[in-house]
Amino acid sequence: MATINVYTESTPNPSTMKFLVNKLLINGSLDYPNKEKAQESDFARELFKFNFVEGVFFASNFVTITKTEEVAWSDIEPLLKDFVKGAVESELSVKPVEHSDDVNFEGTEVEVKIQQVLHDYVRPAVEQDGGAIAYKAFENGVVTVELRGSCSGCPSSTITLKSGIEGLLKRMVPEVEEVVAEAM
């Protein structure tokens, strides 16, 4: 068995930290914004047993953990790194098996183009910060997306959404006039 290494990266959201491992955890992403939603995932369910864990998000080779305000990262980071290492080494399941890696875009030609831009250009950048973005709808020039993981509730998510994502989509898909985030 290969040695599992865990390292951390801060995210734009001060309450959230990204725990990266040298092993693929999941194809795609899964968001567990609270303990109740985490029951299907052994890994997430165990993380929520820590009373300071408020949210868990998985994508490719990392888990993003959101903490309560009462604790400092310096107090819990070593504990969480050890937990993540042990969970990955023991192959604690992230989710029930079934997810497909195939990307299927649906809708009008403009909607497919929007989804393609989000997938190819925006998703990798958002994942870099420990989050995920999902396309929801396009209506009357307005694209609605859902931000998850560290991007959900992040102080800089509005700037990212308006300056980054909206600007890119307006340039690449002229039919886009605005981008808004759907509340979780």
Side-chain angles (χ1 to χ4, degrees):
M1 178 167 97
T3 302
I4 298 297
N5 297 311
V6 180
Y7 67 97
T8 57
E9 285 183 4
S10 58
T11 72
N13 184 344
S15 297
T16 304
M17 187 165 292
K18 189 173 170 183
F19 292 78
L20 294 105
V21 298
N22 57 331
K23 180 179 180 180
L24 182 68
L25 299 176
I26 182 174
N27 283 320
S29 65
L30 279 172
D31 191 18
Y32 299 106
N34 57 50
K35 187 183 269 190
E36 293 70 40
K37 302 249 178 172
Q39 295 311 302
E40 71 176 30
S41 167
D42 295 340
F43 200 141
R45 194 172 55 248
E46 291 300 314
L47 276 168
F48 274 106
K49 288 182 180 177
F50 293 107
N51 63 354
F52 51 77
V53 171
E54 276 193 337
V56 176
F57 174 78
F58 295 98
S60 58
N61 69 327
F62 66 86
V63 55
T64 303
I65 300 171
T66 303
K67 68 170 185 67
T68 60
E69 292 297 319
E70 299 81 49
V71 296
W73 280 116
S74 57
D75 295 334
I76 62 173
E77 183 181 345
L79 175 69
L80 288 172
K81 278 175 84 168
D82 286 345
F83 174 83
V84 170
K85 179 178 173 60
V88 173
E89 286 174 343
S90 66
E91 299 184 359
L92 201 56
S93 73
V94 171
K95 67 176 184 87
V97 179
E98 41 85 16
H99 211 65
S100 171
D101 207 13
D102 297 336
V103 180
N104 293 319
F105 303 128
E106 295 178 358
T108 66
E109 188 177 326
V110 172
E111 289 173 307
V112 168
K113 195 170 180 183
I114 291 166
Q115 292 170 67
Q116 188 73 54
V117 170
L118 289 172
H119 182 269
D120 294 348
Y121 299 97
V122 178
R123 181 187 56 85
V126 171
E127 283 183 357
Q128 196 73 18
D129 285 338
I133 186 167
Y135 170 81
K136 289 301 195 180
F138 176 68
E139 198 172 311
N140 300 324
V142 179
V143 176
T144 304
V145 296
E146 179 182 87
L147 298 172
R148 297 180 299 211
S150 71
C151 295
S152 176
C154 169
S156 63
S157 65
T158 303
I159 296 164
T160 300
L161 187 70
K162 291 297 178 183
S163 301
I165 300 167
E166 185 174 281
L168 178 71
L169 279 171
K170 282 179 168 180
R171 283 192 306 277
M172 297 184 82
V173 186
E175 295 85 351
V176 172
E177 297 170 21
E178 184 182 14
V179 178
V180 297
E182 183 178 82
M184 293 261 319

